[in-house]
Amino acid sequence: MKILIVGGNGRVGSECKDVLGQEHELITPSKKKLDIASWDGVIECLQEVSPDVVLNCVGLTNMNVCETDNFAVRKTNIEGPRNLAQCSARFECVFVHISCAHVFDGQKMMPQPYFEDDTANPLSAYGKSKVESEVAVRGNAPNYIIIRSAWVYGFKGSGFLKSILQKALEKNPKPIKVMSDQYGSPTWNHRLALQIKELIEKKAKGTYHVTSEGYCSRLEYAKYALDKLNIKATLEPCSIKDLKGPMPPANCLLENRLAKKQGLSVMTNWKKDLDSFLDKFGSALIKKAKMRKI
Ligand SMILES: NC(=O)c1ccc[n+]([C@@H]2O[C@H](COP(=O)([O-])OP(=O)(O)OC[C@H]3O[C@@H](n4cnc5c(N)ncnc54)[C@H](OP(=O)(O)O)[C@@H]3O)[C@@H](O)[C@H]2O)c1
């Protein structure tokens, strides 16, 4: 298949490039070459490339920026996906779009997970933009796959895991405050990319939840990773209520119900994948954190 990947330099997109590139022909324009907020740019690109699949890994994911920069969040998270969805429909390609747990309010009692058909009720500007992006995709691309994930980590880019590591490896480390009442399923970008590949190749259609199996709190996540890497640190439990910025969902559990029902799930337990990730990248991450390069 010929697959156009946009956002291919990000945390999700970079791994999709590696995984999908092993068996498919990829076209991966940078943001400089293709700004998805430009209708003309998108239509010209699709006309020129004529892909079978368009995979959108673009996103403005900084919740604080989303809260304050309405223009940027609309362009990147809503108008961009709408352009891609409309052009995919015009050129009869499959459109794959990445969404997230922030479309939900996270108020379900733990450990009840969210299902694909649960009602969206976002708490933040970021979450609202992701809901609008999904509406734009469903309304414009007849042949779509929406993939909702959460708590994605990988070697590239910043993120929760790396920030914990960096704080723990400071010369004079202070106690690290970590939320003990926000829950989710840490999801390796490599596993997510494998699932995206499977859904594309098996010609899946509709909205899918894609996160690791099992769950933990942010505090358990941090403790598990630091223990695995033999890094001593003092973790201080705090509450999601202590957050000063926009509110993420407290319960980010997404059940991969549709993929499992269709026999398409390749997801595995979060600890198993985190072990594999840290076995592979742990030393390099520690080195980077010590050099404060993360
Ligand atoms: N990270 C997570 O934990 C997580 C969880 C669930 C869902 N998601 C979703 O996954 C998607 C990707 O997230 P991510 O974490 O991989 O984000 P990321 O690391 O910030 O990467 C986003 C990519 O989008 C590119 N980009 C931004 N604006 C663009 C535009 N107008 N046109 C073309 N490219 C543009 C960026 O290019 P530059 O680098 O040049 O700016 C970057 O390569 C998002 O839709 C997000 O909502 C992420």
mmCIF file of all heavy atoms in Angstrom, residues 7-13 31 34-37 56-59 61 76 98-101 126 130 149-152, ligand 1:
data_model
loop_
_atom_site.group_PDB
_atom_site.id
_atom_site.type_symbol
_atom_site.label_atom_id
_atom_site.label_comp_id
_atom_site.label_asym_id
_atom_site.label_seq_id
_atom_site.Cartn_x
_atom_site.Cartn_y
_atom_site.Cartn_z
ATOM 1 N N GLY A 7 2.711 14.316 10.277
ATOM 2 C CA GLY A 7 3.095 14.299 11.698
ATOM 3 C C GLY A 7 4.094 13.189 11.960
ATOM 4 O O GLY A 7 4.217 12.696 13.089
ATOM 5 N N GLY A 8 4.840 12.825 10.942
ATOM 6 C CA GLY A 8 5.747 11.670 11.026
ATOM 7 C C GLY A 8 6.991 11.897 11.873
ATOM 8 O O GLY A 8 7.761 10.962 12.083
ATOM 9 N N ASN A 9 7.177 13.122 12.375
ATOM 10 C CA ASN A 9 8.344 13.341 13.245
ATOM 11 C C ASN A 9 7.975 13.338 14.723
ATOM 12 O O ASN A 9 8.827 13.536 15.581
ATOM 13 C CB ASN A 9 9.045 14.664 12.898
ATOM 14 C CG ASN A 9 9.741 14.558 11.564
ATOM 15 O OD1 ASN A 9 10.242 13.487 11.213
ATOM 16 N ND2 ASN A 9 9.746 15.641 10.800
ATOM 17 N N GLY A 10 6.715 13.118 15.040
ATOM 18 C CA GLY A 10 6.272 13.173 16.439
ATOM 19 C C GLY A 10 6.401 11.828 17.141
ATOM 20 O O GLY A 10 6.927 10.868 16.594
ATOM 21 N N ARG A 11 5.902 11.797 18.379
ATOM 22 C CA ARG A 11 6.028 10.596 19.208
ATOM 23 C C ARG A 11 5.301 9.401 18.580
ATOM 24 O O ARG A 11 5.826 8.297 18.529
ATOM 25 C CB ARG A 11 5.438 10.879 20.598
ATOM 26 C CG ARG A 11 5.932 9.921 21.642
ATOM 27 C CD ARG A 11 5.308 10.183 22.994
ATOM 28 N NE ARG A 11 5.278 11.592 23.351
ATOM 29 C CZ ARG A 11 4.622 12.066 24.411
ATOM 30 N NH1 ARG A 11 3.958 11.247 25.200
ATOM 31 N NH2 ARG A 11 4.624 13.348 24.682
ATOM 32 N N VAL A 12 4.103 9.625 18.104
ATOM 33 C CA VAL A 12 3.343 8.534 17.485
ATOM 34 C C VAL A 12 3.807 8.312 16.049
ATOM 35 O O VAL A 12 4.092 7.192 15.623
ATOM 36 C CB VAL A 12 1.817 8.856 17.517
ATOM 37 C CG1 VAL A 12 1.027 7.796 16.762
ATOM 38 C CG2 VAL A 12 1.324 8.971 18.957
ATOM 39 N N GLY A 13 3.936 9.402 15.294
ATOM 40 C CA GLY A 13 4.231 9.306 13.861
ATOM 41 C C GLY A 13 5.587 8.698 13.546
ATOM 42 O O GLY A 13 5.723 7.930 12.585
ATOM 43 N N LYS A 31 6.262 19.058 8.339
ATOM 44 C CA LYS A 31 5.280 20.144 8.507
ATOM 45 C C LYS A 31 5.597 21.304 7.560
ATOM 46 O O LYS A 31 4.705 21.966 7.037
ATOM 47 C CB LYS A 31 5.327 20.602 9.962
ATOM 48 C CG LYS A 31 4.386 21.724 10.301
ATOM 49 C CD LYS A 31 4.542 22.060 11.771
ATOM 50 C CE LYS A 31 3.853 23.326 12.151
ATOM 51 N NZ LYS A 31 4.119 23.684 13.551
ATOM 52 N N LEU A 34 4.258 20.185 4.194
ATOM 53 C CA LEU A 34 2.786 20.097 4.151
ATOM 54 C C LEU A 34 2.198 20.496 5.500
ATOM 55 O O LEU A 34 2.269 19.730 6.470
ATOM 56 C CB LEU A 34 2.334 18.668 3.787
ATOM 57 C CG LEU A 34 0.813 18.464 3.835
ATOM 58 C CD1 LEU A 34 0.091 19.367 2.836
ATOM 59 C CD2 LEU A 34 0.442 17.006 3.590
ATOM 60 N N ASP A 35 1.598 21.696 5.510
ATOM 61 C CA ASP A 35 0.865 22.141 6.691
ATOM 62 C C ASP A 35 -0.574 21.670 6.498
ATOM 63 O O ASP A 35 -1.253 22.116 5.568
ATOM 64 C CB ASP A 35 0.945 23.677 6.781
ATOM 65 C CG ASP A 35 0.155 24.213 7.957
ATOM 66 O OD1 ASP A 35 -0.608 23.446 8.579
ATOM 67 O OD2 ASP A 35 0.296 25.412 8.254
ATOM 68 N N ILE A 36 -1.043 20.771 7.362
ATOM 69 C CA ILE A 36 -2.368 20.179 7.124
ATOM 70 C C ILE A 36 -3.493 21.201 7.280
ATOM 71 O O ILE A 36 -4.629 20.937 6.886
ATOM 72 C CB ILE A 36 -2.628 18.943 8.022
ATOM 73 C CG1 ILE A 36 -2.634 19.308 9.514
ATOM 74 C CG2 ILE A 36 -1.636 17.836 7.725
ATOM 75 C CD1 ILE A 36 -3.325 18.271 10.381
ATOM 76 N N ALA A 37 -3.171 22.356 7.891
ATOM 77 C CA ALA A 37 -4.196 23.394 8.021
ATOM 78 C C ALA A 37 -4.453 24.095 6.686
ATOM 79 O O ALA A 37 -5.404 24.859 6.558
ATOM 80 C CB ALA A 37 -3.769 24.402 9.077
ATOM 81 N N ASN A 56 -2.992 10.368 9.853
ATOM 82 C CA ASN A 56 -2.777 11.669 10.487
ATOM 83 C C ASN A 56 -2.238 11.524 11.909
ATOM 84 O O ASN A 56 -2.983 11.217 12.839
ATOM 85 C CB ASN A 56 -4.098 12.449 10.519
ATOM 86 C CG ASN A 56 -3.928 13.789 11.221
ATOM 87 O OD1 ASN A 56 -2.827 14.349 11.264
ATOM 88 N ND2 ASN A 56 -5.010 14.312 11.778
ATOM 89 N N CYS A 57 -0.931 11.765 12.057
ATOM 90 C CA CYS A 57 -0.314 11.733 13.400
ATOM 91 C C CYS A 57 0.026 13.145 13.863
ATOM 92 O O CYS A 57 0.863 13.333 14.750
ATOM 93 C CB CYS A 57 0.954 10.881 13.383
ATOM 94 S SG CYS A 57 0.660 9.173 12.955
ATOM 95 N N VAL A 58 -0.599 14.132 13.248
ATOM 96 C CA VAL A 58 -0.378 15.533 13.657
ATOM 97 C C VAL A 58 -1.223 15.824 14.888
ATOM 98 O O VAL A 58 -2.328 15.296 15.025
ATOM 99 C CB VAL A 58 -0.795 16.482 12.515
ATOM 100 C CG1 VAL A 58 -0.835 17.926 12.999
ATOM 101 C CG2 VAL A 58 0.136 16.331 11.332
ATOM 102 N N GLY A 59 -0.710 16.667 15.753
ATOM 103 C CA GLY A 59 -1.539 17.088 16.871
ATOM 104 C C GLY A 59 -0.870 18.183 17.663
ATOM 105 O O GLY A 59 0.360 18.209 17.779
ATOM 106 N N THR A 61 -0.651 18.924 21.235
ATOM 107 C CA THR A 61 -0.998 18.111 22.410
ATOM 108 C C THR A 61 -0.697 18.796 23.744
ATOM 109 O O THR A 61 -1.037 18.263 24.788
ATOM 110 C CB THR A 61 -0.235 16.761 22.366
ATOM 111 O OG1 THR A 61 1.154 17.037 22.300
ATOM 112 C CG2 THR A 61 -0.640 15.923 21.178
ATOM 113 N N THR A 76 -4.707 23.218 13.911
ATOM 114 C CA THR A 76 -3.982 21.942 13.934
ATOM 115 C C THR A 76 -4.878 20.755 14.243
ATOM 116 O O THR A 76 -4.765 19.703 13.621
ATOM 117 C CB THR A 76 -2.851 22.000 14.997
ATOM 118 O OG1 THR A 76 -2.119 23.190 14.787
ATOM 119 C CG2 THR A 76 -1.932 20.801 14.905
ATOM 120 N N ILE A 98 -5.721 9.918 14.665
ATOM 121 C CA ILE A 98 -5.426 9.539 16.064
ATOM 122 C C ILE A 98 -6.146 10.496 17.019
ATOM 123 O O ILE A 98 -5.995 11.718 16.920
ATOM 124 C CB ILE A 98 -3.904 9.589 16.369
ATOM 125 C CG1 ILE A 98 -3.067 8.958 15.243
ATOM 126 C CG2 ILE A 98 -3.621 8.902 17.710
ATOM 127 C CD1 ILE A 98 -3.236 7.483 15.044
ATOM 128 N N SER A 99 -6.905 9.919 17.929
ATOM 129 C CA SER A 99 -7.573 10.718 18.962
ATOM 130 C C SER A 99 -7.148 10.193 20.335
ATOM 131 O O SER A 99 -6.181 9.428 20.425
ATOM 132 C CB SER A 99 -9.089 10.660 18.764
ATOM 133 O OG SER A 99 -9.722 11.571 19.644
ATOM 134 N N CYS A 100 -7.842 10.606 21.376
ATOM 135 C CA CYS A 100 -7.323 10.242 22.708
ATOM 136 C C CYS A 100 -8.390 10.190 23.790
ATOM 137 O O CYS A 100 -9.545 10.550 23.571
ATOM 138 C CB CYS A 100 -6.237 11.228 23.101
ATOM 139 S SG CYS A 100 -6.889 12.841 23.403
ATOM 140 N N ALA A 101 -7.957 9.765 24.968
ATOM 141 C CA ALA A 101 -8.857 9.583 26.121
ATOM 142 C C ALA A 101 -9.444 10.910 26.619
ATOM 143 O O ALA A 101 -10.430 10.904 27.361
ATOM 144 C CB ALA A 101 -8.101 8.898 27.252
ATOM 145 N N TYR A 126 -8.093 21.068 24.837
ATOM 146 C CA TYR A 126 -7.475 19.977 24.063
ATOM 147 C C TYR A 126 -8.498 18.873 23.797
ATOM 148 O O TYR A 126 -8.700 18.448 22.648
ATOM 149 C CB TYR A 126 -6.264 19.433 24.832
ATOM 150 C CG TYR A 126 -5.653 18.183 24.230
ATOM 151 C CD1 TYR A 126 -5.197 18.161 22.913
ATOM 152 C CD2 TYR A 126 -5.528 17.013 24.996
ATOM 153 C CE1 TYR A 126 -4.635 16.999 22.371
ATOM 154 C CE2 TYR A 126 -4.964 15.861 24.458
ATOM 155 C CZ TYR A 126 -4.528 15.854 23.151
ATOM 156 O OH TYR A 126 -3.980 14.712 22.615
ATOM 157 N N LYS A 130 -10.229 17.509 20.232
ATOM 158 C CA LYS A 130 -10.161 16.127 19.742
ATOM 159 C C LYS A 130 -11.573 15.603 19.425
ATOM 160 O O LYS A 130 -11.760 14.874 18.457
ATOM 161 C CB LYS A 130 -9.469 15.212 20.768
ATOM 162 C CG LYS A 130 -8.020 15.548 21.063
ATOM 163 C CD LYS A 130 -7.129 15.647 19.848
ATOM 164 C CE LYS A 130 -6.808 14.333 19.197
ATOM 165 N NZ LYS A 130 -5.807 14.485 18.096
ATOM 166 N N SER A 149 -6.039 6.653 21.756
ATOM 167 C CA SER A 149 -5.047 6.052 22.637
ATOM 168 C C SER A 149 -4.843 6.940 23.864
ATOM 169 O O SER A 149 -5.572 7.932 24.051
ATOM 170 C CB SER A 149 -3.732 5.837 21.879
ATOM 171 O OG SER A 149 -2.891 4.989 22.638
ATOM 172 N N ALA A 150 -3.882 6.590 24.705
ATOM 173 C CA ALA A 150 -3.621 7.376 25.916
ATOM 174 C C ALA A 150 -2.251 7.015 26.478
ATOM 175 O O ALA A 150 -1.745 5.917 26.225
ATOM 176 C CB ALA A 150 -4.687 7.082 26.977
ATOM 177 N N TRP A 151 -1.662 7.945 27.187
ATOM 178 C CA TRP A 151 -0.415 7.725 27.937
ATOM 179 C C TRP A 151 0.659 7.068 27.058
ATOM 180 O O TRP A 151 1.275 6.060 27.449
ATOM 181 C CB TRP A 151 -0.684 6.866 29.166
ATOM 182 C CG TRP A 151 -1.470 7.535 30.259
ATOM 183 C CD1 TRP A 151 -2.360 8.573 30.136
ATOM 184 C CD2 TRP A 151 -1.447 7.208 31.665
ATOM 185 N NE1 TRP A 151 -2.889 8.902 31.357
ATOM 186 C CE2 TRP A 151 -2.348 8.080 32.314
ATOM 187 C CE3 TRP A 151 -0.772 6.274 32.423
ATOM 188 C CZ2 TRP A 151 -2.579 8.045 33.689
ATOM 189 C CZ3 TRP A 151 -1.011 6.224 33.804
ATOM 190 C CH2 TRP A 151 -1.892 7.107 34.428
ATOM 191 N N VAL A 152 0.869 7.636 25.871
ATOM 192 C CA VAL A 152 1.832 7.047 24.928
ATOM 193 C C VAL A 152 3.264 7.466 25.296
ATOM 194 O O VAL A 152 3.518 8.643 25.570
ATOM 195 C CB VAL A 152 1.525 7.506 23.481
ATOM 196 C CG1 VAL A 152 2.535 6.915 22.503
ATOM 197 C CG2 VAL A 152 0.104 7.093 23.077
HETATM 198 N N1 LIG B 1 1.303 11.509 23.142
HETATM 199 C C1 LIG B 1 0.284 10.892 23.687
HETATM 200 O O1 LIG B 1 0.343 10.421 24.852
HETATM 201 C C2 LIG B 1 -0.987 10.717 22.905
HETATM 202 C C3 LIG B 1 -2.007 9.953 23.474
HETATM 203 C C4 LIG B 1 -3.186 9.769 22.761
HETATM 204 C C5 LIG B 1 -3.350 10.343 21.522
HETATM 205 N N2 LIG B 1 -2.359 11.125 20.994
HETATM 206 C C6 LIG B 1 -2.604 11.755 19.696
HETATM 207 O O2 LIG B 1 -1.615 11.323 18.791
HETATM 208 C C7 LIG B 1 -1.373 12.357 17.833
HETATM 209 C C8 LIG B 1 0.127 12.611 17.762
HETATM 210 O O3 LIG B 1 0.590 12.985 19.063
HETATM 211 P P1 LIG B 1 2.146 13.028 19.408
HETATM 212 O O4 LIG B 1 2.269 12.857 20.874
HETATM 213 O O5 LIG B 1 2.899 12.142 18.492
HETATM 214 O O6 LIG B 1 2.459 14.544 19.064
HETATM 215 P P2 LIG B 1 3.879 15.232 18.782
HETATM 216 O O7 LIG B 1 4.993 14.370 19.273
HETATM 217 O O8 LIG B 1 3.767 16.619 19.303
HETATM 218 O O9 LIG B 1 3.963 15.268 17.192
HETATM 219 C C9 LIG B 1 3.069 16.036 16.438
HETATM 220 C C10 LIG B 1 3.617 16.170 15.045
HETATM 221 O O10 LIG B 1 2.710 16.996 14.292
HETATM 222 C C11 LIG B 1 3.457 17.896 13.500
HETATM 223 N N3 LIG B 1 2.603 19.064 13.204
HETATM 224 C C12 LIG B 1 2.096 19.966 14.077
HETATM 225 N N4 LIG B 1 1.301 20.847 13.432
HETATM 226 C C13 LIG B 1 1.303 20.483 12.121
HETATM 227 C C14 LIG B 1 0.673 20.975 10.955
HETATM 228 N N5 LIG B 1 -0.137 22.051 10.985
HETATM 229 N N6 LIG B 1 0.895 20.344 9.770
HETATM 230 C C15 LIG B 1 1.714 19.272 9.702
HETATM 231 N N7 LIG B 1 2.345 18.750 10.770
HETATM 232 C C16 LIG B 1 2.140 19.352 11.973
HETATM 233 C C17 LIG B 1 4.656 18.231 14.347
HETATM 234 O O11 LIG B 1 5.672 18.744 13.535
HETATM 235 P P3 LIG B 1 6.849 19.667 14.194
HETATM 236 O O12 LIG B 1 7.615 18.726 15.076
HETATM 237 O O13 LIG B 1 7.605 20.141 13.013
HETATM 238 O O14 LIG B 1 6.137 20.754 14.961
HETATM 239 C C18 LIG B 1 4.985 16.854 14.945
HETATM 240 O O15 LIG B 1 5.791 16.113 14.051
HETATM 241 C C19 LIG B 1 -2.188 13.567 18.285
HETATM 242 O O16 LIG B 1 -3.373 13.608 17.532
HETATM 243 C C20 LIG B 1 -2.525 13.268 19.739
HETATM 244 O O17 LIG B 1 -3.731 13.854 20.126
HETATM 245 C C21 LIG B 1 -1.165 11.307 21.653
#
